[in-house]
């Protein structure tokens, strides 16, 4: 499952602008290529074909830190095409544990891998310390059209850098219990107002059941909800300027909505991914789960007692005439700038996630939700009818949601601090059923103070 926060970064005044979009194939393939034994260049020119050919045939071993289970099958596809290049996969932990080890190795100047699996939201915390290799000189820009637009924006820098290759995603939808809805005469809510009314109706009819649970420890879900609502909580510009807007009009609307439902006692607020939470899903305590596209596969393995009772739908909308979506989760493959084999590493990162067979394997073997346009249009994939969801084409539902994710959403370069502060302010208000809107102001103040202490200039929200 996706996780926050990332490890504490050693911040510099160099700030990544994460949402500016990648350069087109015809644009200059420029940026810092890490020097290395297989011909990587530090010039602004793309790597020459002769160097690529040499790297493809020179015996090389790459070390790849990844938490993907059974990834040896995808690696085997790459090694079959490039037999001179061997890839050693190392599970250095998922999310935070891996990032902590990586930052320690980078600081020490030894022990870092050639490549690393990294979640979208963690990219800025490593680009700000110049730890990732810009993949443009190695041909990555040519892959842009293969990936869903918003995913490419997530891996792109302000000057067109390509910091990683998308692997999987988590566009947010709503999984719901059809049997509970039918029992209480509840229609699938199309708007958040309808959702609130359904929450009140359901809990009044059965005090042991809640329409949903908004975990008080889940800053990731909160960001996905902000994303869907059109919020721009973090906007970076220049090298060290950032606008922080986590208590603006949009954020306060979100805070009043969810905080109000928590205070009414018509939604749950218990921590998720705990034994009690799993038990609650199995016994029908919650009638919906607002989750990323990885949720359907996860739920089918975690709530087996409820097989056949769940369905999927888009999240309710703030404006039904202008449907939008947020994202929760997803990861990429990035090359560490210090690698001695940048060309071979770049070849692997690109092949792993863009090769049709490899990408489909991730979707059908590890059940990752795709980042490639081809898979999201593949009839055999989106046409799957899992029994757990009553034969509904769940992948098709989430494929449609993915097309509605805003590509302009940015992440801060100090997400770990943001996450800690959210849990201690907004999350705390949900758990204690106190004023969530007021908690947003505290969150804003704490983040702003931290950013300034790290040398950022915090600009006023427009």
């Amino acid at each position: 499952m996706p996780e926050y926060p990332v490890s504490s970064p050693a911040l510099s005044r160099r700030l990544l602008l994460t949402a500016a979009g990648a350069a087109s194939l015809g644009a200059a393939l420029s940026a810092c290529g890490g020097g290395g034994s297989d011909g990587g260049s530090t010039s602004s020119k793309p790597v020459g074909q002769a160097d690529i050919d040499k790297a493809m045939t020179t015996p090389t071993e790459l070390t790849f830190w990844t938490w993907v289970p059974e990834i040896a099958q995808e690696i085997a596809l790459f090694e079959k095409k490039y037999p001179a290049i061997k890839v050693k996969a190392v599970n250095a932990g998922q999310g935070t544990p891996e990032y902590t080890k990586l930052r320690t190795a980078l600081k020490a100047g030894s022990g870092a891998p050639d490549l690393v699996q990294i979640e979208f939201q963690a990219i800025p915390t490593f680009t700000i310390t110049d730890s990732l290799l810009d993949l443009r000189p190695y041909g990555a820009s040519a892959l842009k059209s293969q990936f869903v637009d918003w995913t490419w924006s997530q891996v792109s820098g302000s000057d067109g850098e390509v910091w990683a290759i998308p692997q999987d995603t988590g566009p947010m939808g709503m999984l719901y219990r059809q049997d509970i809805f039918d029992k209480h005469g509840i229609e699938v809510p199309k708007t958040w107002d309808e959702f609130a009314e359904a929450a009140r109706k359901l809990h009044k009819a059965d005090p042991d059941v809640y329409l949903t649970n908004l975990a008080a420890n889940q800053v990731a879900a909160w960001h996905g909800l902000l994303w869907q609502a059109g919020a721009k909580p973090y906007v970076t510009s220049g090298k060290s300027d950032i606008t922080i807007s986590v208590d603006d009009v949009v954020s306060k609307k979100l805070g009043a909505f969810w905080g109000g439902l928590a205070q009414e006692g018509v939604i749950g607020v218990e921590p998720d991914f705990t034994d009690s939470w799993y038990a609650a899903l199995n016994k029908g305590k919650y009638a919906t789960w607002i989750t990323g596209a990885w949720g359907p596969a996860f739920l089918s393995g975690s709530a087996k007692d409820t097989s056949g009772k769940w369905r999927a739908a888009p999240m309710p909308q703030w404006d039904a005439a202008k449907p939008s979506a947020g994202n929760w989760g997803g990861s990429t493959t990035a090359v560490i700038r210090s690698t001695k084999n940048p060309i071979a590493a770049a070849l692997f990162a690109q092949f792993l996630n863009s090769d049709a067979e490899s990408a489909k394997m991730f979707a059908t073997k590890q059940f990752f939700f795709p980042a490639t346009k081809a898979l999201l249009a593949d009839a055999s994939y989106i046409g799957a009818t899992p029994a757990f969801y009553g034969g509904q084409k769940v992948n098709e539902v989430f494929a449609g949601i993915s097309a509605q994710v805003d590509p302009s959403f940015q992440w801060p370069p100090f997400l770990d601090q943001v996450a800690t502060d959210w849990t201690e302010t907004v999350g705390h208000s949900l758990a204690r059923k106190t004023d969530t809107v007021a908690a947003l102001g505290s969150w804003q103040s704490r983040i702003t103070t931290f950013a300034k202490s790290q040398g950022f200039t915090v600009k006023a929200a427009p």
Side-chain angles (χ1 to χ4, degrees), residues 15-21 120 123-125 127 152-158 163 234 236 407-413:
L15 190 63
L16 171 68
L17 304 183
T18 59
F120 290 113
I123 290 174
T125 69
T127 57
W152 200 257
S153 294
Q154 288 280 296
V155 301
S156 301
S158 59
W163 297 121
Y234 321 103
T236 57
S408 68
F409 191 88
Q410 299 184 43
W411 297 102

Side-chain angles (χ1 to χ4, degrees), residues 34-47:
S37 61
D38 66 5
S41 172
T42 57
S43 74
S44 61
K45 297 180 181 180
V47 174

Side-chain angles (χ1 to χ4, degrees), residues 234-257:
Y234 321 103
V235 177
T236 57
S237 59
K239 293 183 177 181
S240 60
D241 293 343
I242 184 168
T243 301
I244 300 171
S245 308
V246 298
D247 70 342
D248 61 355
V249 173
V250 176
S251 301
K252 287 178 179 177
K253 176 176 67 174
L254 207 65
F257 179 84

